[in-house]
Structure formats: structure tokens, C-alpha cells
Amino acid sequence: MEYIIIIISAIFVNNIVLAQFLGICPFVGVSNKISTSIGMGGAVLFVITLSTIVTWLIQTYVLNALGLHFLQTIAFIVVIASLVQMVEIILKKVSPALYSALGVFLPLISTNCAVLGVAILTIQKEYTLIEGVVFSSSTALGFGLALVIFAGIREHLDLMEVPKGMRGVPIALVTAGILALAFMGFTGIV
Amino acid sequence: MAAKRESTFVNMLSTLLVITLVAAFTLGSVYNLTKEPIALAKQKKLEEAIRMVLPEFERLEAIKIKSDREEDSLQFFVAYQADTVIGVAINTFSNKGFSGEVRIMVSFAPDGTIYNTSVLDHKETPGLGDKMQKNKSDWSNQFNGMNPVSYRLKVVKDGGDVDAITAATISSRAFTDAVQHAYDTFLTYQKEN
Amino acid sequence: MNQIQNLTKGFIKENPVLAQLLGLCPTLGVTTSAFNGLGMGLATTFVLVSSNLVVSLVKNFIPDKVRIPSFIVIIASFVTVVELVMQGFVPALFDQLGLFIPLIVVNCIVLGRAEAFASKNTVASSVIDGLGMGLGFSMALTILGALREILGSGALFGFKFIPGEMILVFVLAPGAFIGLGYLIALTRKLNK
């Protein structure tokens, strides 16, 4: 039951993009086409889940154990940045098919604040490792969902007549605002 | 301009090593410098909340009482005026908030009547859930002077007596739940004393 | 390019948020009030100036291939300094900004300026560039924060001057997106 609440709240109620404002850059940047946004969503799911596991272990067994919690930010970002690099290298060797699908998005991810944000949130919310995995993967699913919906809307938006100054990012942000309004409707369900 | 250093393995390794060492050393010293102010700031916040929720007291006793619903215990601050207990402030929390934990200080008179409340920490939505703070709205004053024996600590929607903040039922529920949490633990404490 | 231009380019013409569209996460996340926007802006300015300073000082000692990881470590150290100092001396503001303080590390503006400017320019220019970009960032955040605070709660910097309920949605998530959308459109008009 607890897991179901975490899942629903992470995907819909506290959607990482539309309610928590994390990962906006890729949200605005790579949401022109549904196909690219699915690829990005997949890559983020993979990296967020993996990095949450690693950072949780580091927090629990290194930082907390040694009383070095103030090094959290620096330790996490270094771990995440190296992790992304490693995933990229390993993926290239082991599964070229998966690499060609997700690979191009990987370099973009290390500066995606959603990854560091979720890692820190997992620690702040004092989740166990399993809860952390459930939380991070469903948060990433929420990211993918928002991205795909948004890309779908933007594909249609291209065909519309938009006032000149509003074209591109401004109209995309206003659209995101309306989407966020729609997601607020989920508020009551948990 | 001097030429850049070559990207040989030794150069890369030594650069990263030096940078991380310098970073670790700097942060260690900054941490030591700010350790005290941070602890003081936290202490001050707690003391202010205690003073706010309790009537004038002569002596304060801090104890820990095991909560019946959580593994942890809650912090109790018992206020004395010439050896009689005049009130108990409890540092309590609920995990049912809209975005995480809601931590409040709530005080009870010796007969169990709620004396006052003060929000310590929350991450609720600004403009909605944050109305539980005294400086944003007087919503939380409705608890003052109520005795949970007859006053049902649940929002009206769940069949209780607490009027929820407009459009922030979840935050109101969490606040109310934290009060209930404190009250339950307060009853355990009274039984023991 | 003279130094005055170097300083002011970040205000409107190359404003990191409104023209370059960098650092949108903190822009949207913390601007529920003008004060929060300003606080976040100044914290980021400090990190920008210090990291630009250090990066331009050590740029010749860092081999090209470990450039980015070195910059990240430098930036993360300054962010932690800000984190600790704010926690100790302005705990109320620290509570408000919460998660977004450690996230200054991944703010594309900071790494972007280190990589694009400080690693190629003199110490003085880099510091001025960091200051200009930081002030531009602070300006954007303060304006958006003020806009949302006025429309959403009828107040500015905490002083309520329009009584009664306002358009609540501007304090909430949708208002952030919509407000920023129009601000960017306005900047484009100004830059024409």
C-alpha cells in the first residue's frame, strides 16, 4: 500500500516537472517530437534509478557513517557525473542497440537537475533503499509521461498560428502552465 | 599565455587529486566555522517556538517519550511554575503532508486542552498549504482552547471538527494528524506520571 | 569589448534566463515571492563569481580532458559553502529555498560560464562576466517573483498592498510557467 502511494504521488500528484520544477531544460529542449521524448524518458529512467541506488549507498555507508553529511552535494554530483560516463561507455560495448536508442541523451543527463534532485530528495524523505528505488523510478516515469504528453501537444502546436513573439519557447511554457493546471486535478487522490 | 598542460594520465590524475584535496580541505574548514552558527540557529528556532506555545514559565524540563505509532520518540518540553506543571510543549510531526513531513510544536495544558501551536518545518505549497503558519493566516488558531476528548481531531471532510484550509485539505490533514500524534503520546506520558 | 559592456551584457541582451533560457528550474521553482527570487539570485551570483574567479586562475594547470570534472568539483565546493553559510546565518531563507540551493551545482549557467568564458579569459574579465550574469539572473528571478507575488497574493516583498484574495494560481506551479513564458516574449521584443 505504501509503495502504491509513493508511486501515484511521484507520477501524478508531485510530478517532477509540472509540480516540482526539476528537469525543465530537457523538458523544453527535447520535447519537439514524441519519438525523441520517449528516448529521453527511457534514458532518464535508467540513470535516475541507478544513481539513486548508488547515492543512497554512499550516503548511508560513507557520509553518514563518517559524519561527513556536509559533503553530500559535492559527493553526489561527482558520483552522478562519473556514473553517466560509465553507463555510456559500458552501454556502447555491451549493447550497441540500446546505446543507439539512449546514447545521444546520456551526456545531456549529467546536467539534468532532476537526477541530483531525486537523489537528494530520497535522502531527505528518509526512504529505505527499496522505497528509494520505487520513488526514483516512478518519479522518472512521471518525467517521461510529462515529456511525452508535452511533445504530443507541441507537435500540434507547430501547425498553429502563434503571434510572432510567442513562438517557440514562450508558447511552450504557457502550454506547460496549462498542463500543470491539469495535473493539479490529481491533488486529491492520495 | 602559458601553454596548457598536456592531457597525460599523470597530469590528469594529479590535477584531479589536487583539486579534490583543496576542495575537501576548504569545505572541512568552512564546515567547522559554520557548525556552531547552524546549531545555534536550530536551537534558537526551537526555543522561539517553545516560548511561543507555552505560558510564562520558571523552569523547563526536556524529556523524550516513546511515540506509540513510530519507532522514534517525541521531544517533550515540560514547563514548571514553582514545581507545578503548567503546560507541555511537544515537538511532533506527521508524514501525511502534501510534500513530505510537517513538523509542528504543539502545547497542552495539564488537563489535555490544546494551548497553542507553531509550525517548525514544512514543505507545503506556498499560497495554499503554508497558511498553516501563523504569519500567513490565523487558520491554526482554531485548535487553541480545544480539548481532544470532545474535539475530534480530523478535518470536516473526514468527519471531524477541524475546518480545512481552502484548497489545502491534505496539508490541513497533516497538521491535524501531527496534533493527534502529539496528543496520543501526551496521554501515554500522563499515564506514566 | 570594454568591461562595462562585459558587465551589462548579462542584464537584458544575453540575460541567462530570459534570453539564453538557462537555469529554468530554479527560476520556476523558487519564484513564489520577490524575496525568494532575490535570495536565490544572490546565492547563484556568489557561486558564479567565485567559480569564474577560480576557474580563470587555474585554467592553465588543468589538462583539457579533465576540464569538466575539475570545474564541477570547484563549483560544487562553492555551492556547499553557500549552503553551510545560509544554513547558519539566514536559516529562514534556507528553509524556503530548500532543495534548490544544492541544485545550483547543476544550474547550466554556472558551468556554462566557466566553460565558455572563464576558461578562455583573464581573471578580471571573468569576475566581471560572472557578476554581470549573476545580476542578470537575480534580476530575472526577482521580476518573476514580484510578478507572481503581486498577481497571486497582492503583496510585494511580503507587504500586502491589495486586500482580499487574488489570482491564487500565479503562486502555484501553472503561474510560474505562464509568467515566465510572457516574460521571455517581452525580452525578445526588447532585444529587437
Side-chain angles (χ1 to χ4, degrees):
Chain A
M1 189 58 207
E2 235 168 80
Y3 295 130
I4 295 174
I5 291 179
I6 294 179
I7 293 171
I8 291 179
S9 125
I11 297 183
F12 298 108
V13 182
N14 282 323
N15 185 283
I16 186 145
V17 183
L18 298 169
Q20 313 230 55
F21 305 111
L22 297 177
I24 305 281
C25 293
F27 181 66
V28 174
V30 279
S31 60
N32 288 320
K33 282 210 188 99
I34 294 184
S35 54
T36 39
S37 58
I38 291 176
M40 184 70 184
V44 166
L45 175 66
F46 190 62
V47 171
I48 282 192
T49 314
L50 197 62
S51 67
T52 304
I53 297 173
V54 176
T55 51
W56 191 92
L57 292 172
I58 287 184
Q59 176 79 28
T60 315
Y61 294 108
V62 181
L63 298 183
N64 285 354
L66 299 176
L68 292 174
H69 49 91
F70 67 98
L71 289 179
Q72 191 192 53
T73 311
I74 195 165
F76 280 19
I77 188 66
V78 170
V79 166
I80 290 171
S82 356
L83 199 68
V84 172
Q85 289 267 302
M86 247 160 60
V87 168
E88 203 181 339
I89 296 167
I90 293 173
L91 221 54
K92 214 180 203 166
K93 287 258 157 69
V94 177
S95 164
L98 199 60
Y99 178 77
S100 63
L102 304 182
V104 285
F105 301 105
L106 286 173
L108 291 172
I109 289 180
S110 42
T111 50
N112 181 342
C113 53
V115 182
L116 182 60
V118 170
I120 297 177
L121 276 175
T122 307
I123 304 299
Q124 271 184 5
K125 292 184 184 242
E126 292 176 5
Y127 283 144
T128 61
L129 184 56
I130 296 174
E131 283 171 340
V133 170
V134 173
F135 170 72
S136 56
S137 51
S138 29
T139 303
L141 282 177
F143 175 81
L145 179 72
L147 204 63
V148 171
I149 295 178
F150 194 54
I153 299 176
R154 279 184 90 178
E155 277 185 2
H156 286 271
L157 217 54
D158 286 344
L159 308 172
M160 300 289 151
E161 264 197 47
V162 177
K164 216 167 158 203
M166 291 295 287
R167 264 174 222 166
V169 173
I171 191 73
L173 283 169
V174 173
T175 314
I178 296 170
L179 198 58
L181 204 56
F183 266 71
M184 278 178 67
F186 290 115
T187 301
I189 59 176
V190 283
Chain B
M1 204 159 99
K4 285 219 164 194
R5 284 173 66 198
E6 297 269 325
S7 295
T8 60
F9 183 74
V10 177
N11 276 354
M12 292 197 286
L13 195 71
S14 58
T15 310
L16 284 182
L17 199 65
V18 169
I19 288 182
T20 36
L21 278 181
V22 171
F25 180 75
T26 319
L27 289 183
S29 14
V30 173
Y31 173 71
N32 272 329
L33 283 177
T34 51
K35 200 159 59 177
E36 212 166 303
I38 290 174
L40 275 177
K42 277 189 185 142
Q43 184 65 28
K44 202 172 141 229
K45 195 171 159 190
L46 203 63
E47 274 171 15
E48 267 169 21
I50 294 172
R51 270 182 213 293
M52 210 191 111
V53 297
L54 283 174
E56 280 284 310
F57 56 84
E58 277 178 355
R59 190 163 62 85
L60 200 63
E61 193 189 1
I63 42 173
K64 279 192 185 294
I65 302 289
K66 207 189 145 335
S67 147
D68 52 351
R69 76 161 89 157
E70 303 283 337
E71 300 277 308
D72 299 323
S73 46
L74 293 184
Q75 246 183 323
F76 275 50
F77 301 93
V78 188
Y80 289 93
Q81 186 80 280
D83 288 338
T84 28
V85 177
I86 52 164
V88 180
I90 301 168
N91 182 346
T92 174
F93 66 95
S94 166
N95 287 323
K96 295 185 179 163
F98 187 58
S99 25
E101 190 186 86
V102 170
R103 189 168 274 280
I104 62 174
M105 183 73 81
V106 53
S107 61
F108 296 97
D111 66 342
T113 310
I114 299 169
Y115 188 77
N116 205 345
T117 56
S118 168
V119 176
L120 290 171
D121 201 19
H122 75 86
K123 295 181 183 63
E124 304 302 283
T125 321
L128 291 176
D130 70 348
K131 287 201 177 123
M132 64 171 69
Q133 287 169 245
K134 285 257 187 316
N135 58 355
K136 301 269 173 178
S137 88
D138 50 13
W139 174 81
S140 61
N141 288 344
Q142 64 174 308
F143 290 89
N144 300 357
M146 297 297 181
N147 193 323
V149 170
S150 54
Y151 183 73
R152 284 165 301 169
L153 280 171
K154 275 196 161 92
V155 293
V156 174
K157 215 185 200 171
D158 303 337
D161 292 320
V162 179
D163 284 318
I165 301 168
T166 317
T169 311
I170 298 174
S171 306
S172 317
R173 214 178 259 156
F175 187 99
T176 312
D177 181 59
V179 176
Q180 179 77 54
H181 186 187
Y183 183 69
D184 292 342
T185 319
F186 177 74
L187 290 182
T188 327
Y189 158 80
Q190 277 202 321
K191 235 179 269 164
E192 285 170 6
N193 285 272
Chain C
M1 182 166 48
N2 67 35
Q3 296 294 23
I4 302 206
Q5 262 179 335
N6 190 10
L7 180 71
T8 53
K9 68 175 190 285
F11 293 179
I12 293 184
K13 209 162 144 259
E14 288 180 35
N15 187 296
V17 179
L18 302 173
Q20 302 186 52
L21 309 177
L22 295 174
L24 296 182
C25 302
T27 306
L28 294 164
V30 303
T31 51
T32 48
S33 73
F35 185 73
N36 284 359
L38 187 63
M40 183 67 193
L42 294 180
T44 310
T45 306
F46 171 79
V47 176
L48 255 168
V49 173
S50 338
S51 66
N52 262 12
L53 172 75
V54 173
V55 166
S56 63
L57 276 175
V58 300
K59 59 178 185 282
N60 288 329
F61 298 100
I62 297 177
D64 242 6
K65 278 192 180 150
V66 290
R67 197 176 69 239
I68 302 289
S70 311
F71 294 170
I72 290 180
V73 173
I74 293 171
I75 294 167
S77 315
F78 284 115
V79 170
T80 311
V81 170
V82 170
E83 224 180 318
L84 291 169
V85 169
M86 283 182 81
Q87 222 175 335
F89 299 100
V90 276
L93 185 63
F94 180 80
D95 285 347
Q96 289 273 313
L97 301 178
L99 181 62
F100 286 97
I101 294 290
L103 290 183
I104 296 176
V105 174
V106 278
N107 189 328
C108 335
I109 301 168
V110 186
L111 188 60
R113 291 328 285 178
E115 163 76 0
F117 199 94
S119 65
K120 299 184 182 78
N121 285 284
T122 60
V123 176
S125 318
S126 304
V127 169
I128 291 173
D129 173 78
L131 188 65
M133 286 295 159
L135 290 178
F137 182 70
S138 311
M139 207 162 71
L141 262 68
T142 315
I143 293 174
L144 184 60
L147 182 81
R148 290 177 66 191
E149 202 181 349
I150 294 172
L151 291 174
S153 41
L156 188 59
F157 285 104
F159 298 110
K160 195 162 170 62
F161 59 92
I162 305 172
E165 291 283 316
M166 292 288 291
I167 318 160
L168 185 62
V169 77
F170 273 95
V171 186
L172 305 177
F177 286 107
I178 295 170
L180 184 63
Y182 282 104
L183 270 186
I184 292 174
L186 187 73
T187 316
R188 284 189 179 173
K189 179 102 185 144
L190 287 175
N191 271 341
K192 278 251 170 70

